[in-house]
Amino acid sequence: MNIYYRQAQLCGRKTGNGTKLPFLMNILYSLSARNGDLQPFSMDDINAVLFNQHQSIGCSIKALIPIVGWRNEAIWYELFKGEQVYLPRCITFTNGAIVYAIVVIGDEYEVRIWPDSHKREREKQHWFSHHAVVYSAELDVFKQSFKALLKHIRKEDDYEAKHPKFG
């Protein structure tokens, strides 16, 4: 699963299309920023997933958002004729209907939700319709799923250390 950005920079208070968040979401974004909820994970834990020792790029976990994939390298990609889009390093979670993502650009990250990710017939704006996670219920599901993923990655890394497949 990929998440698409128009530029190689975090979106923050804006959607991937560059528009401001709706009024209530903007207020919640400000509150979340003050409480530190916009950065609920450590970069060390994010990098442990992106650069895991067993060199996987995805898995399924026992969590509310069970299907996980990740990209440990950012690239520019031609999605539309003559127009490049940016695919950042990211960890994506899905339940089949929506994508939650931890997007890493440089040494910073943000958590995003992409509600139009599974539309079969997308118009151009749907490719960039992701926005910041600001609701506590969504953030709690995200945190629980990331915790399950991290536990799974550490278990697999421990197994790889004891039984290297490329050693």
Side-chain angles (χ1 to χ4, degrees):
M1 293 171 279
N2 294 316
I3 190 162
Y4 302 86
Y5 275 58
R6 294 183 182 275
Q7 301 170 343
Q9 64 185 39
L10 298 175
C11 295
R13 294 180 181 264
K14 295 184 177 181
T15 69
N17 282 308
T19 59
K20 289 183 179 181
L21 294 175
F23 180 72
L24 178 60
M25 289 179 75
N26 199 16
I27 290 172
L28 291 172
Y29 186 96
S30 295
L31 293 172
S32 296
R34 276 190 230 145
N35 295 335
D37 289 340
L38 294 179
Q39 303 274 298
F41 315 115
S42 76
M43 278 305 293
D44 287 340
D45 288 345
I46 292 169
N47 285 329
V49 173
L50 292 175
F51 304 105
N52 62 78
Q53 294 175 8
H54 59 285
Q55 300 175 0
S56 68
I57 59 169
C59 64
S60 60
I61 56 174
K62 291 182 181 181
L64 292 173
I65 316 170
I67 304 165
V68 188
W70 50 89
R71 163 186 295 286
N72 65 11
E73 183 179 3
I75 62 169
W76 285 94
Y77 176 78
E78 186 171 340
L79 182 61
F80 310 107
K81 185 173 177 137
E83 187 177 338
Q84 298 283 316
V85 297
Y86 186 67
L87 301 176
R89 291 183 295 146
C90 65
I91 303 169
T92 55
F93 297 79
T94 188
N95 58 8
I98 194 166
V99 167
Y100 293 73
I102 301 170
V103 177
V104 180
I105 298 178
D107 59 353
E108 297 181 307
Y109 76 93
E110 63 185 357
V111 291
R112 309 291 287 178
I113 293 180
W114 185 20
D116 295 325
S117 62
H118 289 85
K119 282 189 175 185
R120 293 206 184 267
E121 299 295 324
R122 286 188 202 139
E123 294 183 23
K124 196 172 189 178
Q125 74 270 14
H126 295 130
W127 289 93
F128 306 98
S129 63
H130 53 83
H131 57 82
V133 175
V134 294
Y135 297 109
S136 60
E138 293 171 332
L139 189 58
D140 290 344
V141 168
F142 210 155
K143 287 178 183 178
Q144 182 266 344
S145 297
F146 185 76
K147 183 179 177 181
L149 172 62
L150 196 55
K151 181 178 177 182
H152 174 79
I153 291 294
R154 288 187 174 137
K155 178 181 155 198
E156 292 295 317
D157 281 352
D158 288 346
Y159 182 83
E160 177 64 24
K162 294 175 186 164
H163 307 92
K165 57 185 163 199
F166 301 112

